[in-house]
Amino acid sequence: MDEPTVKQTTGARLYHPGLRTLVETARFHAGRQPGAPAILCEGRRTTYGRLHEESNRIAHAIRAAGAAPGARIAYLGKESEHYYEILFGCAKSGTVLVPINWRLTAPEVGHILQDSGSALLFLEEEYAPVLDRLPAGPPATVVRLGVPDGFTAWKAGHPTTDPDVDAGPDTPVAQLYTSGTTGLPKGVVLAHRSFFAIRDALAGAGLDWIDWRTGDIALIGIPGFHVGGLWWATQNFNAGVTVVAMRAFDARAAIGLVRDLGVTTACVVPAMLRLMLAEPDVTPKDFTTLRKIVYGGSPISEALLEESLTMFGSEFAQIYGLTETGNTAVCLPPAAHVPGSPRMKAAGHPYPGVRSKVIDDQGRELPTGSVGEVCLATPARMVEYWGLPDRTAETLVDGWIHTGDAGYADEDGYIFISDRIKDAIIVAGENVYPAEIENALEHHPGVADAVVVGAPDERWGETVRAFVVPAPGHRPTPRDLHRFLVDRLAAFKLPAAYEFIDQVPRNPSGKILRRELRERFWSGTDRKVN
């Protein structure tokens, strides 16, 4: 392997303190640098001036379609310049964007459309077949991208002037769906402040843990329906640099974009790093322009991190948070990425203005080094779970987000995550919750009971393992169960293996003793996440 190239950080640090909403971001950069590239996607170039004008058209068209401020506007498709035009168009019309994971099945998509009450859906043509399989039918208005008389015609004729909108930092702008222990995804409502608070905290403290500089070209590896992808895109738009949008992550394509476009920063999940490292003939020379990689979404192994530090030759910043915290609330800064240091196992340190505590099951704060539930208080936190006041009250308590993650803090305030209280499985950065899969399995006539756990996996972080109790008189096979689930669950949620058992272990009150089944996969590891 070639020796890594040491980069020199160049360009002035970018921070525009007057910006508080995405509406102001689009207007400011269109006036300041209308000809500068905002988005590069598949060879197409969208300037800040065009992004502003097209999102103005979309905002006027949304209002003309009858969507009032606060209405939910859904998007089902991959990343492109149009996705970001729609994002800003929603912000400028006072409506709330609901981006939908394009990997989901029709029933899963249908739940999000019904739960959000979206009356308008932007739909890429690739996903048009979903419309016919939606249990309750499509929304009243569907705008199809990539067809004649579709998206382009829909917004044509509307003015490019700034719409009149009353948007402030606390105005909702996005609603992202995340699964939960009930098995049904919940809509996490985020306000504009979620996309500005951490930027302000870093700038106010003079920290460059994550920074933006003149001339930066930022690659987005994480999809825009994830808070990480949406947050990273908005941070770069707020700074006024260029975003490189990938339709969907592909390791070889990502390497080519870094090399050919001179990408300087990137945001990825650990599985993406592993896939790039595994590409044939990849060398440090492919990454000579890359100065910083921001990664998160799932824990990273020490071996993968050390190999990445050598190959990419850039600074690394790990981020930790939830959709509910508005993405990152904790950061392991570049200076802490020292091979062999105990800090390499940490999730990071809270940003300035973000507080953390670790509590026991009675809500009492625990001392340094004691394991309990990690709670975070951040100005970027969610507004609520849409339509679920009781669930909101369980997670957001007196300004504190209860993460559901078990961990501890060291004497310097660094947070270490050791397990997940809420049983989530993270597959390549995707949150998968056992209850959703168990509910689906138990609809199979040959299944009497089922329990799902996560097992460590070198490539994807974790994989889904299902334990199944056959119904009397039935002997389903793994192939039978796979065929049953494939149209009901997204591919990343499908179990990688099935094991048939006589009964699911439960305590006297009937609660599944999930950890008894997990333990065989995780014994010998120093943390119960991978």
Side-chain angles (χ1 to χ4, degrees), residues 184-393:
L184 289 174
K186 303 183 295 295
V188 180
V189 180
L190 299 178
H192 287 270
R193 59 177 162 76
S194 291
F195 304 103
F196 292 85
I198 299 304
R199 174 205 70 150
D200 292 342
L202 286 168
L207 297 175
D208 62 355
W209 295 357
I210 304 174
D211 61 344
W212 297 269
R213 295 180 178 269
T214 55
D216 267 346
I217 300 174
L219 178 68
I220 304 177
I222 302 174
F225 54 75
H226 272 299
V227 69
L230 184 58
W231 182 87
W232 181 244
T234 58
Q235 301 316 289
N236 287 284
F237 290 135
N238 291 340
V241 301
T242 302
V243 164
V244 177
M246 297 189 73
R247 297 276 295 145
F249 183 81
D250 174 86
R252 179 166 290 276
I255 294 168
L257 289 171
V258 172
R259 182 184 59 240
D260 299 339
L261 297 180
V263 167
T264 60
T265 63
C267 188
V268 296
V269 299
M272 295 172 182
L273 296 174
R274 184 178 299 281
L275 290 171
M276 287 191 283
L277 290 171
E279 279 296 309
D281 305 321
V282 64
T283 76
K285 291 180 180 178
D286 293 313
F287 308 106
T288 55
T289 61
L290 196 59
R291 69 174 184 86
K292 183 167 291 186
I293 292 177
V294 178
Y295 67 97
S298 64
I300 190 169
S301 71
E302 290 179 84
L304 175 57
L305 184 51
E306 290 183 11
E307 186 178 355
S308 297
L309 286 166
T310 299
M311 173 63 76
F312 295 102
S314 63
E315 290 187 331
F316 276 72
Q318 179 176 202
I319 58 176
Y320 164 76
L322 317 173
T323 309
E324 290 87 340
T325 62
N327 196 40
T328 178
V330 171
C331 180
L332 187 69
H337 283 73
V338 179
S341 167
R343 290 265 163 85
M344 290 275 275
K345 293 183 179 180
H349 193 283
Y351 296 98
V354 174
R355 294 176 293 151
S356 67
K357 65 180 180 180
V358 178
I359 62 173
D360 64 15
D361 57 6
Q362 301 299 312
R364 296 170 297 204
E365 191 165 353
L366 294 170
T368 297
S370 297
V371 175
E373 183 178 13
V374 175
C375 299
L376 298 165
T378 167
R381 66 181 178 272
M382 71 174 183
V383 177
E384 62 180 342
Y385 289 128
W386 178 245
L388 297 170
D390 291 343
R391 299 303 301 277
T392 301

Side-chain angles (χ1 to χ4, degrees), residues 46 67 72 139 194 270 291 310 430 432 462 470 487:
T46 301
R72 270 49 185 176
S194 291
R291 69 174 184 86
T310 299
E430 298 272 12
V432 177
E462 293 182 64
D487 291 328

